[in-house]
Amino acid sequence: MATTKPGERKLQILQALAAMLENPKGEKITTAALAAKIEVSEAALYRHFASKAQMFEGLIEFIESSVFGLINQISQQQEDGLSQAHAIALMLLNFAETNPGMTRVLIGDVLVNEDERLQLRMNQFVERMELAFKQALRLAVVQGHIAESEVASRASLLSSFIVGRWHRFAKTGFKNLPGEQAAAHLSQLLR
């Protein structure tokens, strides 16, 4: 049997968990099913993660570092505030489309029966997402594209649009793609 390098098994566990979350039926994920999927014992899972909640935290950390790293790149590359907001929204929709299992974490449906701190962390994620929109829109104010009084409501509307698209994607068994007609909808939201 081949031995795994340090950190490889942990990554393998998280990848298997993410793959199981892609099941459109949305069955409850158990450690027994996860262990069976990667052909290890449940005890082996617990050598890498103290609890299932810690496994979900690992997925949340991946989501946060990926998404906010990309938001930072967009902010540095796009000089126009409205273009920044548009690019951030498209990236968020594309992230979900590319990572359907992670979408179930983003909307919190797999976190319902887990530790409540996980849902609180995802709520903070959405707040940070909205803050990124506010920052882009404040730049648009400075550039004379929108009024200061519009920043908070537009950021809230964009966040609600994104979260709604994520929900629709997950609840349709990943059939209604989040990016479908998104460019047209965003152009209306960002006039």
Side-chain angles (χ1 to χ4, degrees):
M1 184 170 130
T3 59
T4 57
K5 294 178 185 167
E8 280 184 15
R9 178 67 74 196
K10 194 172 189 174
L11 180 61
Q12 183 184 26
I13 293 166
L14 291 176
Q15 288 171 333
L17 177 57
M20 290 176 77
L21 291 172
E22 291 181 17
N23 178 351
K25 292 196 182 8
E27 284 124 20
K28 185 168 168 52
I29 306 288
T30 64
T31 53
L34 180 58
K37 182 166 181 73
I38 56 176
E39 300 175 343
V40 298
S41 67
E42 281 186 81
L45 294 179
Y46 289 114
R47 279 195 288 277
H48 299 281
F49 296 96
S51 64
K52 190 165 62 161
Q54 218 179 55
M55 292 176 207
F56 281 116
E57 279 182 23
L59 291 181
I60 292 170
E61 285 167 13
F62 168 80
I63 291 167
E64 288 173 338
S65 66
S66 299
V67 165
F68 293 113
L70 290 168
I71 286 174
N72 287 337
Q73 284 179 17
I74 290 167
S75 298
Q76 291 169 1
Q77 293 168 354
Q78 295 282 341
E79 293 180 15
D80 180 75
L82 291 178
S83 295
Q84 271 185 27
H86 191 268
I88 290 168
L90 287 177
M91 177 276 297
L92 290 164
L93 295 172
N94 185 54
F95 181 85
E97 198 167 311
T98 307
N99 302 286
M102 300 294 186
T103 305
R104 295 186 57 216
V105 177
L106 286 166
I107 65 170
D109 76 339
V110 296
L111 305 176
V112 169
N113 295 315
E114 302 300 331
D115 190 308
E116 90 177 53
R117 79 178 185 280
L118 297 172
Q119 186 58 60
L120 291 173
R121 192 161 170 187
M122 288 317 304
N123 293 348
Q124 289 172 340
F125 174 90
V126 173
E127 288 170 11
R128 285 178 65 195
M129 178 179 81
E130 189 168 329
L131 182 61
F133 283 127
K134 284 179 181 176
Q135 289 172 335
L137 293 170
R138 283 191 186 106
L139 179 57
V141 168
V142 170
Q143 295 167 336
H145 298 302
I146 63 171
E148 176 68 38
S149 60
E150 298 177 49
V151 170
S153 64
R154 282 184 184 234
S156 177
L157 185 60
L158 285 166
S159 296
S160 296
F161 172 73
I162 299 299
V163 172
R165 284 300 183 102
W166 289 342
H167 271 275
R168 182 173 168 248
F169 182 48
K171 300 303 179 183
T172 61
F174 310 121
K175 291 187 180 32
N176 289 10
L177 301 179
E180 189 178 301
Q181 298 181 354
H185 295 145
L186 288 169
S187 67
Q188 292 174 6
L189 294 173
L190 290 169
R191 279 189 188 156

